[in-house]
Amino acid sequence: MEKFYDYIYYNSGLEWIVNLNILISLLFLLLILLLILFILYLRVYKNFRNIKKAEHIEKLTDFINGYLFDTEFEEASIEEFRAHHVRSKLQKKVTTKEILVYSQNFKGEANASIKKLFFRLELDGLAFKEIASRKWYLRARGMHTVSNMGIKIQESTAVRLLNDKRVEVRLQSLLYFIKLSQKYPLNFLYRLEEPLTIWQQIHIEDALKGYKEEIPDFSKWLNHKQPTVIGFCIKQISAFDQYENVEKVIPFLEHPEEMLKKEAIRCMRKMGNHESVNIVLTNFASENNTIKKEILKLIKEVGSYNQLQTLSYELNGDNEEIKIEYLKAEEYFLK
């Protein structure tokens, strides 16, 4: 460092600031050159990888089609294909992905054959390694694989991933519980410690549509510590017409949590509960606009004109948003 300092200030024959600028410029040129070389390397590597991937997919497609549809297919070909073409990480990843696509598009005997091939190619080992990875996208991919292939993993591992810090991993984990459950598809909710996102709720609803067993009683989770779980269950009580649970939802009409109160009002509206109107009218004046609008919609659909008129004082206020909602309800009763 001392020699570098002496060179800049005394030995170069130029002003020290000029020398410093020259050295910095050379340093930046070197960094730019290294960056260009790195980008070129990545480009070449990506192209080479894509070529290898395309070649493997072509071989794999021929192999799977022969396995599924060729009556003269020999079982020994499976071991041969595994030994020569399912060795590297890239080959295993691509093979797993393609088999998952086949599994999603085939039903019955063909689907069972595809899953059998998955195990014969020893691809389950890759899924287990991904589940144990520190990288969140590998954990999510591993859970996606085991849930679609019907592979059971240790319950403690599944519960840990259910409460993973990454929402993508949690989503794949809850789908794992739903798909592999025999009788109780939503029992994982008892162990859920993280909030349920809207996206997760949509996936659960979609999975339940194809569930062939009896739909669970959603009131079991109305005391859950996560408000998002309670809100989801209130929504499902009305979605699946669980009228026996109306009395258990009514207390949420006065809940301090806005989201739960809103879901409870919507639930009462969809289930046509008339008694709920008098309950929500009690604290109408102190509610925010979101809740007030939900109450007015409730009155419009299951209440009476007399109940609406008890709120006519809102027309004298400055809240234009509520005035409009009130007039819509009034128009409905007077038409």
Side-chain angles (χ1 to χ4, degrees):
M1 187 68 185
E2 187 175 350
K3 290 181 179 180
F4 175 73
Y5 180 84
D6 290 339
Y7 173 80
I8 291 178
Y9 280 89
Y10 305 114
N11 300 327
S12 66
L14 297 172
E15 290 291 334
W16 70 269
I17 190 66
V18 176
N19 289 322
L20 183 61
N21 284 333
I22 291 172
L23 289 172
I24 292 174
S25 299
L26 290 174
L27 178 61
F28 274 107
L29 285 173
L30 178 62
L31 291 175
I32 291 171
L33 180 62
L34 290 174
L35 180 61
I36 292 172
L37 290 174
F38 180 69
I39 293 172
L40 288 173
Y41 166 77
L42 289 180
R43 184 72 176 176
V44 171
Y45 174 77
K46 185 177 180 180
N47 289 339
F48 176 76
R49 184 182 173 88
N50 286 339
I51 291 171
K52 288 293 182 182
K53 184 178 176 180
E55 290 175 352
H56 181 69
I57 289 176
E58 185 177 354
K59 292 177 184 177
L60 180 63
T61 302
D62 292 339
F63 172 74
I64 294 178
N65 288 337
Y67 170 77
L68 290 174
F69 307 115
D70 189 352
T71 55
E72 298 180 359
F73 182 84
E74 298 180 358
E75 289 292 314
S77 300
I78 298 176
E79 296 301 321
E80 183 181 346
F81 187 83
R82 181 186 65 79
H84 292 90
H85 303 292
V86 192
R87 295 182 300 177
S88 68
K89 278 188 178 181
L90 177 63
Q91 290 173 335
K92 289 180 179 180
K93 188 179 81 170
V94 173
T95 304
T96 299
K97 184 178 179 180
E98 291 300 308
I99 286 182
L100 285 172
V101 172
Y102 275 89
S103 177
Q104 291 168 359
N105 287 285
F106 286 93
K107 304 296 180 184
E109 186 178 340
N111 183 272
S113 296
I114 282 292
K115 288 181 177 179
K116 180 181 176 182
L117 178 62
F118 177 85
F119 290 103
R120 291 286 299 275
L121 294 176
E122 299 180 0
L123 295 171
D124 51 325
L126 175 63
F128 294 140
K129 286 181 180 179
E130 289 180 337
I131 288 171
S133 174
R134 292 184 179 182
K135 298 177 181 178
W136 69 265
Y137 59 90
L138 292 181
R139 296 197 299 275
R141 193 166 70 194
M143 289 303 293
H144 175 72
T145 300
V146 297
S147 62
N148 280 279
M149 288 292 106
I151 304 171
K152 286 195 173 184
I153 61 175
Q154 286 187 350
E155 190 170 355
S156 59
T157 300
V159 171
R160 175 173 55 80
L161 295 176
L162 179 66
N163 295 296
D164 195 273
K165 62 183 179 180
R166 294 291 306 204
V167 66
E168 297 88 348
V169 180
R170 298 203 301 271
L171 172 59
Q172 294 302 328
S173 299
L174 67 83
L175 291 176
Y176 163 84
F177 277 101
I178 293 174
K179 290 179 180 180
L180 270 68
S181 173
Q182 298 298 320
K183 282 188 176 182
Y184 310 105
L186 297 183
N187 270 10
F188 69 87
L189 290 175
Y190 287 118
R191 300 183 178 185
L192 186 66
E193 298 174 3
E194 298 291 330
L196 266 182
T197 66
I198 296 297
W199 190 240
Q200 288 172 328
Q201 293 179 35
I202 291 172
H203 275 279
I204 296 174
E205 291 174 1
D206 188 59
L208 287 174
K209 289 176 184 176
Y211 191 65
K212 297 180 181 179
E213 303 295 330
E214 184 180 355
I215 296 297
D217 180 358
F218 289 97
S219 68
K220 294 188 293 185
W221 298 286
L222 290 180
N223 60 349
H224 200 281
K225 64 181 180 180
Q226 277 294 341
T228 52
V229 174
I230 299 173
F232 170 75
C233 290
I234 291 175
K235 191 186 300 181
Q236 298 312 306
I237 284 173
S238 62
F240 289 97
D241 298 325
Q242 294 184 350
Y243 289 95
E244 66 276 12
N245 291 325
V246 167
E247 292 299 321
K248 297 177 182 178
V249 175
I250 284 179
F252 291 97
L253 294 171
E254 300 177 290
H255 199 279
E257 182 84 31
E258 179 187 315
M259 182 269 292
L260 296 181
K261 185 182 292 186
K262 182 173 69 174
E263 289 299 342
I265 296 171
R266 287 179 175 178
C267 179
M268 294 298 104
R269 187 174 85 238
K270 291 176 182 177
M271 303 189 81
N273 186 272
H274 302 279
E275 292 76 12
S276 61
V277 178
N278 288 327
I279 297 174
V280 296
L281 282 176
T282 305
N283 300 315
F284 184 87
S286 61
E287 302 289 3
N288 60 35
N289 277 10
T290 301
I291 299 300
K292 283 182 177 181
K293 287 193 288 186
E294 291 297 334
I295 292 173
L296 287 168
K297 290 176 184 177
L298 176 68
I299 295 172
K300 176 182 172 182
E301 294 195 25
V302 303
S304 66
Y305 183 57
N306 289 334
Q307 288 172 319
L308 178 65
Q309 284 186 309
T310 63
L311 304 177
S312 59
Y313 61 84
E314 289 287 345
L315 293 175
N316 299 321
D318 299 326
N319 197 330
E320 297 297 328
E321 197 173 357
I322 300 305
K323 282 183 184 179
I324 293 172
E325 201 64 46
Y326 179 93
L327 292 172
K328 285 181 181 179
E330 187 177 53
E331 183 183 11
Y332 172 80
F333 283 112
L334 296 178
K335 67 180 179 181

